[in-house]
Amino acid sequence: QKEVEQDPGPLSVPEGAIVSLNCTYSNSAFQYFMWYRQYSRKGPELLMYTYSSGNKEDGRFTAQVDKSSKYISLFIRDSQPSDSATYLCAMSGNSGGSNYKLTFGKGTLLTVNP
Amino acid sequence: GAGVSQSPSNKVTEKGKDVELRCDPISGHTALYWYRQRLGQGLEFLIYFQGNSAPDKSGLPSDRFSAERTGESVSTLTIQRTQQEDSAVYLCASSLVIGVGGDGYTFGSGTRLTVV
């Protein structure tokens, strides 16, 4: 079992839809949880950053972390064609003092159709 | 510069050749990271530099891979005797201070390496 599992999709939704993306993980040492957005031929850009369990909201984006279930989610409300990209979950922990090492999911390719 | 700059953006090389990839971090960023993104796979950590401290090389996949960084400036990732499985996008990121849990990372656009 890989440390981080993410459904690669592809996921196609109409403009205005609510999008739900998620990842599961196996390493209970993970404490820092991130969602990155990656456009084609570009580097990942940080969307959401969460420490430990709970919810975080930023505009149309909401990140949820459930450490008891080892499950994280990203919700996108009122999705726009400009949201079309690959979404990567990433996480890290304090194990061995190397919390700078990120473990990534494979990414989910999202297309929002106008 | 305004962002993390990587060069070349694309590199095609013959199997067995050596390649050198370059990363210019954001000015003032003390921490620098290299990741590899193979097709259909998540990003894999390769190496981490923090100022003048010894780098964390734990992610380098084989002794054909090496990286250098002088102080807080440019870093180069060298792959010797390239193999087809080295084909991937090599991404560099930097952060102002040690990126606790990935906070503050800025990634470059990567170097797409193809080994034929």
Side-chain angles (χ1 to χ4, degrees), chain B residues 71-111:
Chain B
E72 297 176 4
S73 62
V74 168
S75 175
T76 55
L77 176 69
T78 301
I79 309 172
Q80 295 178 309
R81 305 182 302 281
T82 52
Q83 304 294 311
Q84 287 185 328
E85 64 261 27
D86 299 334
S87 296
V89 177
Y90 289 83
L91 290 157
C92 175
S94 70
S95 60
L96 188 60
V97 292
I98 179 171
V100 173
D103 194 17
Y105 275 36
T106 301
F107 278 91
S109 293
T111 293

Side-chain angles (χ1 to χ4, degrees), chain A residues 14-77:
Chain A
E15 183 174 354
I18 297 174
V19 176
S20 173
L21 304 166
N22 55 74
C23 290
T24 58
Y25 63 95
S26 58
N27 189 343
S28 57
F30 288 146
Q31 298 186 57
Y32 306 94
F33 304 92
M34 289 135 274
W35 286 95
Y36 283 85
R37 178 175 62 196
Q38 186 176 25
Y39 292 114
S40 181
R41 301 276 173 160
K42 297 292 186 183
E45 56 177 325
L46 183 65
L47 271 180
M48 302 290 281
Y49 174 87
T50 309
Y51 172 69
S52 195
S53 284
N55 295 357
K56 186 173 185 179
E57 187 174 320
D58 184 1
R60 296 184 295 110
F61 299 90
T62 299
Q64 290 184 350
V65 174
D66 181 349
K67 289 188 69 179
S68 62
S69 302
K70 297 189 177 66
Y71 187 90
I72 70 170
S73 301
L74 177 71
F75 297 95
I76 308 174
R77 291 183 298 281

